Amino acid sequence: MTTDLDDAAATFGEVRPRLFGIAYRMLGSVHEAEDLIQDVWMKWQAYDRSKVKEPAAFLATITTRLAINATQSARVRRETYIGPWLPEPVDTSADPALGAERGEALELAVLLLLEKLSPTQRAAYVLREAFGYPYDEIAEIIQLSEANVRQLVSRSRKRLADERREPVDAAEQHRLLKAFLAAAQQGDLASLEQLLAADVASYADGGGVARASRIPVLGRTQVSKYLASFASRFWVGTTLTWVEANGRSAVLIARDGVAFALVTVSASAEGIDQIQWAMNPAKLTSVTPPGAALS
């Protein structure tokens, strides 16, 4: 015999992947998204569910509104973050779209760009582009007019298009990352310069916990020299494990069985335009294989 709470849990379980997908895209953090979804579950438990005609829409509304508030407070915390802040990578090998109808707004480079949008603008873009919500439903969720929602989404698309070149496909991204790793390990300046776009940026997120550059390294020449300068130390004794992070190839770097960094790249026809080094140990747990150690 099932109870009302059992039914509530079953309903929540069915839509949870989508709720997590919304929260993660809004916050760029697995841990913060999990905490938020737990809050949604608590509210769902306590709510008079007999008044809810469409549970999935109701839960998505709660999730989005909580995420908008959480994004606002997260921005304040990130203003004091030590060094570059990068989104927390998530393993998408089991769910390439991470709860969405399509894998939009999931790549790390895109999540980083979404940080430049206002929380409400980000919510409108995520709901429309990743989950295909109709404009009238988005308007109800974020409490704006449908005309305003259309404008928010349009402006978001334009801003992301203006700030990002057309990305290469997954196979080419994998090839470029593989070639990049070979050149970086050898400290091969010439090969690195051939792979990198002229305006490439390298971001290392150590969060003040791991040793990492506290400012982005910019430009083909500077990034190539920077990578070559520590090649003889950084890569010694390391093992590399290929993983799928946010729908793209990435490599987990370990030494003596301890994972200490994840590296991935984004690229266009002009070459690798962004290198991301996730080195804060707290941001590696979601992409580290079971049983592997973390620094």
Side-chain angles (χ1 to χ4, degrees):
M1 180 177 178
T2 62
T3 66
D4 180 59
L5 190 57
D6 290 333
D7 291 339
T11 298
F12 186 83
E14 288 178 6
V15 299
R16 190 186 187 285
R18 169 169 288 208
L19 304 183
F20 178 81
I22 292 171
Y24 174 73
R25 285 169 172 82
M26 287 290 294
L27 299 171
S29 167
V30 175
H31 293 85
E32 290 176 13
E34 291 284 6
D35 288 345
L36 188 146
I37 297 306
Q38 184 61 29
D39 288 345
V40 175
W41 165 239
M42 297 300 290
K43 290 181 181 298
W44 179 236
Q45 278 185 295
Y47 199 79
D48 183 356
R49 294 180 296 278
S50 66
K51 298 180 179 179
V52 180
K53 294 181 179 179
E54 298 181 17
F58 177 81
L59 290 167
T61 298
I62 294 177
T63 300
T64 303
R65 291 178 183 174
L66 287 177
I68 288 172
N69 292 335
T71 301
Q72 292 169 335
S73 60
R75 282 189 168 183
V76 174
R77 293 195 303 275
R78 287 165 192 169
E79 287 175 0
T80 59
Y81 194 82
I82 299 175
W85 178 90
L86 292 176
E88 179 183 351
V90 62
D91 181 358
T92 50
S93 58
D95 181 6
L98 200 66
E101 294 176 4
R102 45 189 182 267
E104 294 296 323
L106 186 56
E107 288 182 48
L108 292 174
V110 175
L111 289 175
L112 196 57
L113 284 177
L114 290 182
E115 286 290 310
K116 298 181 179 182
L117 305 180
S118 72
T120 302
Q121 191 175 12
R122 185 168 184 166
Y125 181 84
V126 165
L127 291 174
R128 181 63 185 174
E129 297 301 294
F131 296 90
Y133 277 86
Y135 287 108
D136 59 340
E137 287 188 29
I138 300 173
E140 187 173 345
I141 290 171
I142 64 177
Q143 299 176 299
L144 290 174
S145 70
E146 184 175 335
N148 282 343
V149 168
R150 288 180 179 275
Q151 190 173 59
L152 287 178
V153 174
S154 176
R155 287 177 177 175
S156 300
R157 286 175 181 154
K158 185 177 186 306
R159 181 160 189 180
L160 266 63
D162 288 345
E163 297 198 30
R164 189 184 189 217
R165 301 184 185 101
E166 182 68 25
V168 297
D169 62 25
E172 178 63 3
Q173 185 265 349
H174 180 92
R175 185 194 72 79
L176 287 168
L177 176 57
K178 187 175 182 180
F180 166 79
L181 288 167
Q185 288 175 290
Q186 294 298 318
D188 185 340
L189 272 174
S191 294
L192 285 168
E193 290 183 344
Q194 287 181 346
L195 291 166
L196 303 180
D199 58 353
V200 63
S202 176
Y203 300 98
D205 181 343
V209 180
R211 186 175 179 180
S213 175
R214 295 192 177 185
I215 58 172
V217 184
L218 308 174
R220 178 187 289 143
T221 301
Q222 288 300 109
V223 171
S224 297
K225 289 181 177 178
Y226 170 73
L227 293 169
S229 70
F230 63 73
S232 61
R233 305 185 305 277
F234 182 84
W235 300 101
V236 174
T238 60
T239 56
L240 308 183
T241 302
W242 286 89
V243 296
E244 182 183 295
N246 297 68
R248 291 281 165 146
S249 293
V251 167
L252 197 65
I253 308 170
R255 184 178 289 111
D256 299 325
V258 178
F260 67 90
L262 177 134
V263 62
T264 189
V265 301
S266 64
S268 69
E270 297 185 27
I272 294 171
D273 46 36
Q274 193 173 114
I275 308 163
Q276 296 177 329
W277 307 82
M279 303 183 74
N280 185 336
K283 294 188 175 184
L284 298 178
T285 56
S286 297
V287 288
T288 303
L294 282 170
S295 59

